[in-house]
Amino acid sequence: MPVPAEVRELSIYEDVTEIRHAIAAARRDGKRIGVVPTMGALHAGHLSLIEAARAECEFVVVTIFVNPTQFGPQEDLSRYPRPIAADVDECRRLGVDAVFHPQAETIYPSDFKTFVNVEDLSNKWEGAFRPGHFRGVATVVLKLFTIVQPDVAYFGQKDFQQQLIIKRMCRDLNVPVELRVCPIVRDTDGLALSSRNVYLSPSERNSSLVLSRSLLFGEKELHAPEANITAIVKVMREMVGSEKGVTLEYLIIADPNTLEEITEPQRQMVLLVAARVGTTRLIDNVLVLLPHLAEHSRIE
Ligand code: AMP
């Protein structure tokens, strides 16, 4: 029987040895350890991952760390929101057992020299627009995995390329962690929740709805008989590109395992979009399944 949230004790750790001890004790008690890696500024998308972890694991760890190595020099590292007190309250409310909130120097001592790079996949799409981003992500996630040694880790489909890269890293390096990918949580108007949405002015927020609108359009068109991918992508790009204040970075229909663009409909497809709305960079995606088509590739 799961212990109700109100009788659980949340502990907050900054220190690697201390959280390791707490987790080791939970493991000795036979508890399944779940981890939800986040950069904080928790919203309902993060909370859905925590709830998924809570449902499957007896000991849930949420990591809150704004990881400097995944930000480019011109990016928003210094202004990224850090409402730690509110985040801790949310974790307590959801019955999280441990929050790991390390200092940057704890994760990256001054002589830190070891990075993980998932080749090829890290250079496409997001990686092309954010050089070095996935090297930082893979490195910090592997570090968090070796600190927490979870049985299961929870990621969002929202960062589609990220979950693919983490899966590949775990497979390639024999990292013994089960990965779960949870669906995108959206606002009622369709905007995918993101910690960066707080940067949007009311009019920018309105403009940003073109991302989910274009994905919805693409998804619907792909279900039509004899769907023409090139034509669909063209219309979607025009939709996003013509929205006031929105600069399209990329919009593709791709194979969800390789992220190679496709030109013919296949059983599983992913529609990926990234755009700047004012100075805020937003990403979104949708997975499309056409069950009547033959299997090209399969999401593991
Ligand atoms: P972040 O704090 O942005 O690094 O995100 C932490 C985790 O939450 C990642 O696995 C994200 O994919 C996931 N996440 C972010 N936004 C959403 C969302 N709207 N729905 C579901 N998961 C999300």
Side-chain angles (χ1 to χ4, degrees), residues 205-247:
R205 199 185 175 295
N206 198 42
S207 297
S208 69
L209 296 178
V210 74
L211 298 192
S212 53
R213 209 163 53 235
S214 72
L215 292 173
L216 208 64
F217 166 84
E219 180 183 24
K220 186 171 109 305
E221 291 296 312
L222 282 172
H223 280 96
E226 297 178 29
N228 178 330
I229 298 233
T230 313
I232 295 170
V233 168
K234 183 163 182 280
V235 176
M236 291 173 73
R237 285 179 183 156
E238 280 164 10
M239 278 173 83
V240 178
S242 62
E243 184 72 32
K244 188 172 138 278
V246 177
T247 312

Side-chain angles (χ1 to χ4, degrees), residues 37-39 43 45-46 49 80 155-156 158-159 162 183-185 193:
T38 81
M39 297 208 300
H43 52 63
H46 298 112
L49 306 186
Y80 197 87
F155 291 90
K158 164 79 174 14
D159 296 273
Q162 168 173 284
I184 301 177
V185 177
L193 296 186

